[in-house]
Amino acid sequence: MEYIEVGIFLWVVVGLLIGILVGVLPGLGAATALSLLVPLTYKMDTNIAIAFIMGVFVGAVYGSSITSILLNIPGSATSVATMFDGYPLTVKGYSLTALGASITSSSIGGIAGALFLMFVSRYIANFFMHNMDSPSYFWIIMIALSCLITAIGKDRTIGFASALFGLMVGTIGMDMMSFNYRYNFGSFYMGDGIPMVPLILGIYALSHIMTLSQREVGESISKSVQMHGSLWEGAKQTLINWVLVIRSIIIGAVIGVFPGIGGATANLVAYYNAKSKYNQDDTFGKGDIRGVIAAEACNNATVASTLVPTFTLGIPGGIPAAILLSILMIHGLTPGPTLFTENVDFVNQTFVTVLIANLILFPIAILTLRFFARITTVKISILVPFLLVFVVYGVYGLQRSLYDVIIVFVFGLIGYLFNKYNIPIVPFLISYLLGPMFEVSLRRSLRAGDDIFILVSKPFHIVLAIIALLLIVGPPLYNLFVKKPLIKQA
């Protein structure tokens, strides 16, 4: 069987272009792009349909980073951490360098993720069937939370208060264990909880639009009239920091494998892992290119790894993977361990398609990035109204819900107040994303056993517990016992 056919290659290219364009629009992201395009795949050949959808998936995940870097507005939840250093670089006039680092690290991460999918997925399927249970998920989430301790900030009281508020917001809606409603104030709309996309767009995008609207009318986003740096300088910085790229790829590949945790969490974990390692000079959050590299290398590595549980167990690793799962079923394929024995050609075709999509992402993006970078020179008085329309339309277009638009404005005001009074947003977001999963995995574990020791009832549980403990107590102990020079050499 010939895996690289001209028709399939062209459909991948078309999917990538559509994905990048949709990913650039705030709030739409990969899930929205895929859901809108599913009807087009009904009458397509199965291999062509998957090639097209995978191109859209890869392109949308990357495209969302463009607005994160240029406008400080996340195109989707998976590119939140990209803003933290990408936008400060844009403000300094180094948008091209940030974009160059973004596409290079995204391409490398995507290629590595595709290779991971090709060579490891079969073994992971077998491992999952024998080892994954509620206590395992509990410890995995604990590890993710422990990696993000640095997000609390210097003022731990305010940081923990922000995290507690996020936990409170995450508990709104139906209790997934008892199926009772909590804290919804009798509202039908709040029965499903506070939706993720409107909340993220409100607390990041709308709050930033409010801040931009207070600046001088004639100003642009970039404070530098000329754009410094280049795409190739960003690519060079990515290659120089190859150790960081590998670390971030591993984080994305590992977290993406576990269903439900998602790319948004992996993106934040990779960023704060890099910050804890390389932030000795307190440059992260102020325009450190390594922050962009870590977040984006992780992003696209997660794309392929979310497909591992989708193909091997029939359990989607995220919303885009769930949509892909439905496409497989529409075309008469049953995801699961039997897929690797009964449809070997299709599986191999899909793996190669994912690899091709990430290989050609780089040249396609390079041709369009200079055009996107010009957005930073547009006057704020012109840009703000357009951004506001895109944010509202992007949210309303998800479910045609006015409730979602209200959520955007409520959390836009909350985000604005957070920024005004220097309250860290990330602890809030982490608790909102991981808190409900932490609760459900813990309660399911305790129900499955007679006491709390169910959490360490298997060797795999103990290994995960030790890793979580080391990540929590390791950094403080390192700072306490590692000797530092008392006198700096001249």
Side-chain angles (χ1 to χ4, degrees):
M1 176 178 180
E2 294 184 7
Y3 294 119
I4 304 177
E5 300 175 3
V6 175
I8 290 177
F9 180 84
L10 292 176
W11 277 108
V12 171
V13 173
V14 171
L16 281 170
L17 291 171
I18 294 175
I20 291 173
L21 290 174
V22 174
V24 167
L25 300 177
L28 296 185
T32 304
L34 293 176
S35 61
L36 292 173
L37 295 170
V38 165
L40 296 180
T41 66
Y42 291 164
K43 295 185 178 181
M44 288 181 179
D45 177 77
T46 303
N47 290 329
I48 290 178
I50 295 299
F52 174 63
I53 289 299
M54 287 312 306
V56 175
F57 192 3
V58 172
V61 170
Y62 167 69
S64 63
S65 69
I66 296 176
T67 46
S68 293
I69 291 171
L70 298 181
L71 302 174
N72 204 34
I73 295 176
S76 68
T78 59
S79 59
V80 169
T82 309
M83 299 186 306
F84 300 158
D85 282 287
Y87 184 70
L89 283 167
T90 292
V91 171
K92 295 175 181 178
Y94 289 92
S95 57
L96 286 175
T97 303
L99 290 171
S102 171
I103 180 55
T104 307
S105 53
S106 292
S107 297
I108 295 173
I111 292 168
L115 295 173
F116 174 83
L117 177 67
M118 293 171 69
F119 295 110
V120 181
S121 56
R122 291 173 174 83
Y123 302 102
I124 289 178
N126 182 62
F127 179 82
F128 268 15
M129 286 187 289
H130 292 90
N131 293 281
M132 288 306 297
D133 52 13
S134 294
S136 299
Y137 272 103
F138 169 80
W139 288 117
I140 291 295
I141 295 169
M142 275 292 292
I143 290 171
L145 287 170
S146 62
C147 287
L148 298 169
I149 288 177
T150 53
I152 294 295
K154 296 180 180 178
D155 191 329
R156 293 190 176 274
T157 302
I158 295 177
F160 279 113
S162 174
L164 181 61
F165 180 49
L167 189 62
M168 292 169 61
V169 173
T171 57
I172 294 174
M174 181 181 288
D175 177 0
M176 297 308 295
M177 296 297 294
S178 65
F179 300 104
N180 294 320
Y181 289 105
R182 304 184 298 189
Y183 319 122
N184 66 328
F185 303 101
S187 169
F188 171 77
Y189 292 107
M190 294 183 69
D192 291 331
I194 305 297
M196 179 175 64
V197 172
L199 181 146
I200 288 178
L201 281 180
I203 206 163
Y204 280 112
L206 188 60
S207 65
H208 182 60
I209 291 172
M210 293 169 67
T211 303
L212 284 178
S213 65
Q214 297 178 332
R215 289 170 57 176
E216 293 293 331
V217 175
E219 285 188 35
S220 60
I221 288 177
S222 175
K223 294 182 179 180
S224 175
V225 177
Q226 296 180 345
M227 289 189 292
H228 306 290
S230 67
L231 295 174
W232 301 113
E233 177 60 27
K236 178 182 175 182
Q237 289 298 320
T238 302
L239 298 177
I240 290 174
N241 291 282
W242 61 271
V243 175
L244 173 61
V245 172
I246 294 174
R247 286 165 60 99
S248 303
I249 288 171
I250 292 172
I251 290 171
V254 171
I255 292 181
V257 163
F258 296 98
I261 298 182
T265 302
N267 183 249
L268 290 166
V269 170
Y271 178 84
Y272 280 98
N273 179 268
K275 183 177 180 180
S276 65
K277 179 71 176 178
Y278 299 105
N279 196 36
Q280 291 86 353
D281 298 326
D282 195 28
T283 55
F284 273 64
K286 302 175 183 178
D288 194 315
I289 197 70
R290 292 172 295 187
V292 177
I293 294 169
E296 287 304 302
C298 173
N299 259 3
N300 281 51
T302 307
V303 171
S305 62
T306 57
L307 301 180
V308 174
T310 306
F311 284 151
T312 59
L313 299 177
I315 302 173
I319 296 176
I323 296 170
L324 181 63
L325 183 69
S326 67
I327 294 174
L328 292 178
M329 299 177 72
I330 287 170
H331 287 270
L333 297 170
T334 304
T338 58
L339 185 67
F340 290 85
T341 56
E342 298 176 1
N343 301 95
V344 177
D345 285 346
F346 166 77
V347 171
N348 291 334
Q349 173 81 66
T350 303
F351 289 173
V352 174
T353 300
V354 176
L355 182 61
I356 291 173
N358 284 283
L359 284 170
I360 61 178
L361 172 65
F362 185 85
I364 289 177
I366 286 294
L367 294 175
T368 58
L369 284 178
R370 287 187 176 276
F371 167 76
F372 286 120
R374 292 294 173 186
I375 294 174
T376 62
T377 62
V378 178
K379 291 183 179 179
I380 289 176
S381 58
I382 299 173
L383 195 60
V384 164
F386 277 101
L387 292 177
L388 184 60
V389 170
F390 274 126
V391 168
V392 174
Y393 173 76
V395 170
Y396 183 75
L398 289 173
Q399 298 183 14
R400 298 288 192 269
S401 172
L402 184 60
Y403 165 66
D404 288 349
V405 178
I406 294 173
I407 291 297
V408 165
F409 280 94
V410 169
F411 281 93
L413 179 60
I414 291 173
Y416 176 78
L417 294 175
F418 269 46
N419 291 325
K420 183 176 181 179
Y421 294 104
N422 296 318
I423 301 172
I425 293 177
V426 175
F428 164 84
L429 184 60
I430 294 166
S431 297
Y432 164 77
L433 291 172
L434 294 182
M437 288 186 280
F438 179 85
E439 177 194 9
V440 170
S441 62
L442 177 60
R443 289 171 66 185
R444 282 179 178 169
S445 300
L446 296 178
R447 282 190 180 185
D450 297 327
D451 51 43
I452 197 170
F453 291 105
I454 186 68
L455 296 174
V456 287
S457 58
K458 294 181 180 179
F460 184 56
H461 300 162
I462 297 173
V463 171
L464 293 177
I466 292 172
I467 293 173
L469 182 64
L470 289 175
L471 288 171
I472 292 172
V473 304
L477 290 177
Y478 177 84
N479 292 330
L480 183 63
F481 293 108
V482 173
K483 295 181 179 181
K484 297 180 180 180
L486 298 177
I487 302 175
K488 294 183 178 180
Q489 298 295 328

